[in-house]
């Protein structure tokens, strides 16, 4: 039986690539070291598959069609929004697992949009590049949630989706060892007049909820509160919610937090505890 | 007012090099493809990102629209803060 053996929440900040000298060297080193530690932790867990939960930034899906949640069931390629040092390329895909999860969803009330040859953006590309790719042979399932463009995926539905992913994994016939990665920034404002403002108080509230497996706090957050205190970019915490649910909401450990004004984002990292059956 | 059509034109410009080239070469012709009124077309042609955002357009798009033209980020922030560039 396939198992979820680990989980993480991480940022996916493209400004790291565009403006590498923005923060202090110490801050930058600290962030990259945390990504490297997570890659090592994935190796320690003997994981062979990553389910990376990202979100579109009005890059992949336009006004013609705005899906609530998408899963890769075939090839994956990206990031389509190439970054300095991170070029668009094929990403090794676990097609069978993505297909299985989608089929379980169709039977149980989760009408996935599927990407049979799926392009992803930096929300998948960055954690893949820094955490998954260093572990040779790993495959990925890409999940994209509607966090950047309205209508947003409700937080409650993000939680339910995570539980569904967990349940579907237990029904997969393989012996995969899977890590779930919720990919998103905490407070950040993308393109609005508050761009560059980071709110460590809001960020701590979110990281505390993640570390304690606090479903009630996460689901009590309204969109108005998130937009007010965290900004439009903070809507990405839906990916944390989904990852928390997928790993059973056993809490976890905050590994790092940096409020990086020059990278316009509160960047939080945590490992999610998983209780193996 | 068509927030949807404004978002569509900005999305098309942010995701297609061919569209960017067409817009740069002849904005009037390019914008005639979209269901925008004259005021909206003028806002897009004039990079009036503050006014466009005030109409509810996603600011990920207004920011990308500004940057794809080669304009500076600090000028964008001035405009969005109504300080003007």
């Amino acid at each position: 039986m396939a198992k979820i053996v680990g989980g993480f929440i991480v940022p996916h900040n493209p400004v790291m690539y565009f403006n590498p000298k923005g923060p202090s060297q110490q801050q930058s080193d600290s962030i990259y070291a945390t990504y490297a530690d997570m890659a090592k932790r994935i190796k320690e867990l003997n994981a062979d598959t990553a389910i990376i939960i990202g979100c579109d930034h009005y890059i992949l899906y336009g006004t013609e069609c705005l899906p609530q949640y998408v899963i890769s069931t075939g090839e994956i390629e990206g990031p389509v929004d190439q970054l300095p040092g991170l070029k668009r390329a094929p990403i090794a895909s676990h097609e069978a697992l993505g297909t299985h999860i989608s089929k379980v969803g169709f039977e149980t009330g989760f009408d996935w949009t599927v990407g049979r040859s799926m392009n992803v953006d930096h929300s998948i590309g960055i954690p893949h590049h820094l955490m998954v790719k260093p572990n040779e042979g790993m495959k990925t399932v890409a999940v994209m949630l509607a966090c950047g463009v309205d209508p947003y995926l409700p937080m409650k539905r993000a939680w339910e989706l995570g539980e569904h992913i967990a349940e579907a994994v237990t029904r997969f016939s393989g012996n995969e060892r899977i890590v779930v990665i919720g990919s998103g920034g905490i407070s950040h404002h993308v393109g609005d007049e508050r761009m560059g403002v980071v709110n460590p108080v809001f960020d701590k509230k979110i990281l505390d909820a993640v570390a304690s497996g606090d479903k009630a706090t996460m689901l009590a957050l309204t969109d108005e509160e998130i937009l007010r205190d965290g900004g439009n970019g903070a809507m990405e915490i839906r990916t944390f919610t989904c990852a928390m649910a997928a790993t059973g909401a056993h809490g976890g450990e905050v590994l790092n937090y940096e409020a990086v004004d020059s990278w316009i984002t509160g960047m939080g990292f945590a490992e999610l505890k998983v209780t193996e059956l | 007012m068509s927030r949807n059509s404004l978002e569509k034109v900005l999305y098309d410009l942010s995701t297609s090099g061919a569209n960017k080239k067409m817009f740069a070469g002849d904005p009037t012709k390019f914008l005639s493809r979209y269901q925008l009124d004259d005021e909206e077309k003028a806002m897009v042609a004039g990079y009036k990102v503050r006014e466009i955002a005030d109409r509810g357009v996603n600011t990920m798009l207004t920011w990308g629209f500004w940057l794809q033209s080669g304009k500076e980020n600090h000028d964008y922030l001035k405009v969005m803060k109504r300080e003007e560039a």
Side-chain angles (χ1 to χ4, degrees):
Chain A
M1 183 179 79
K3 288 181 183 172
I4 291 174
V5 297
F8 303 90
I9 60 104
V10 298
H12 58 238
N13 190 342
V15 188
M16 293 192 307
Y17 292 78
F18 288 119
N19 183 22
K21 303 286 187 190
S24 69
Q25 192 64 49
Q26 184 183 14
Q27 209 169 25
S28 176
D29 288 348
S30 167
I31 287 167
Y32 278 103
T34 305
Y35 279 115
D37 288 345
M38 290 173 143
K40 285 179 195 161
R41 180 68 181 133
I42 289 171
K43 186 178 180 68
E44 287 170 3
L45 290 165
N46 291 317
D48 51 38
T49 305
I51 298 175
I52 307 177
I53 304 163
C55 44
D56 186 31
H57 299 77
Y58 241 146
I59 294 170
L60 302 171
Y61 314 117
T63 46
E64 297 89 348
C65 186
L66 292 164
Q68 286 280 283
Y69 45 94
V70 186
I71 191 165
S72 59
T73 61
E75 297 88 341
I76 307 171
E77 185 177 313
V80 297
D81 50 334
Q82 301 186 93
L83 303 167
L86 180 49
K87 297 304 175 193
R88 179 174 181 161
I91 291 173
S93 172
H94 200 315
E95 300 179 12
L97 180 61
T99 301
H100 166 79
I101 293 170
S102 72
K103 284 184 176 175
V104 172
F106 300 148
E107 294 164 1
T108 58
F110 294 88
D111 298 323
W112 288 98
T113 297
V114 299
R116 290 197 281 114
S117 180
M118 183 164 162
N119 290 337
V120 296
D121 70 5
H122 63 273
S123 69
I124 301 290
I126 290 176
H128 175 266
H129 179 64
L130 297 176
M131 299 167 64
V132 178
K133 197 175 178 186
N135 292 294
E136 197 175 340
M138 282 191 74
K139 293 183 177 179
T140 292
V141 173
V143 171
M144 302 293 288
L145 309 183
C147 304
V149 183
D150 69 290
Y152 302 107
L153 181 70
M155 287 284 273
K156 180 172 178 290
R157 193 60 169 162
W159 189 277
E160 292 167 350
L161 199 65
E163 291 181 328
H164 150 58
I165 290 170
E167 194 264 336
V169 163
T170 65
R171 290 166 56 180
F172 189 62
S173 58
N175 292 311
E176 280 75 0
R177 294 178 61 81
I178 299 163
V179 290
V180 177
I181 301 171
S183 167
I186 316 180
S187 64
H188 61 302
H189 300 264
V190 186
D192 71 21
E193 61 278 8
R194 291 192 290 165
M195 190 158 55
V197 174
V198 177
N199 183 353
V201 175
F202 177 79
D203 296 345
K204 183 175 186 311
K205 176 178 178 175
I206 301 306
L207 287 174
D208 286 349
V210 170
S212 58
D214 188 348
K215 175 183 178 181
T217 292
M218 293 300 279
L219 297 196
L221 287 163
T222 64
D223 286 355
E224 291 73 20
E225 182 181 357
I226 298 169
L227 289 166
R228 183 193 67 216
D229 296 340
N232 58 343
M235 302 295 265
E236 293 171 357
I237 61 173
R238 284 153 166 76
T239 66
F240 298 2
T241 302
C242 189
M244 287 170 69
T247 51
H250 298 295
E253 180 186 0
V254 175
L255 302 177
N256 198 358
Y257 171 76
E258 295 283 352
V260 191
D261 293 345
S262 60
W263 285 351
I264 69 167
T265 305
M267 299 180 65
F269 301 79
E271 179 171 356
L272 304 173
K273 203 183 299 177
V274 170
T275 304
E276 285 200 45
L277 299 173
Chain B
M1 192 277 275
S2 172
R3 174 202 168 211
N4 293 329
S5 289
L6 283 168
E7 291 205 349
K8 180 172 173 56
V9 66
L10 266 54
Y11 174 80
D12 287 352
L13 284 169
S14 68
T15 55
S16 162
N19 284 333
K20 285 177 200 172
K21 197 172 173 183
M22 285 168 58
F23 177 69
D26 189 344
T28 302
K29 184 178 178 186
F30 178 79
L31 292 172
S32 69
R33 296 163 37 184
Y34 296 90
Q35 297 181 50
L36 299 171
D37 63 28
D38 289 345
E39 188 182 357
E40 290 163 342
K41 287 176 184 171
M43 283 193 302
V44 176
Y47 287 91
K48 303 291 186 188
V49 285
R50 180 67 268 174
E51 287 90 332
I52 295 171
D54 286 342
R55 296 199 176 202
V57 168
N58 190 306
T59 55
M60 292 184 189
L61 288 174
T62 54
W63 189 33
F65 172 58
W66 183 274
L67 294 177
Q68 63 83 30
S69 71
K71 294 175 183 289
E72 294 293 332
N73 192 52
H74 64 265
D75 288 335
Y76 175 83
L77 269 176
K78 280 185 184 177
V79 170
M80 293 304 282
K81 291 177 179 175
R82 304 182 197 281
E83 296 168 358
E84 295 306 323

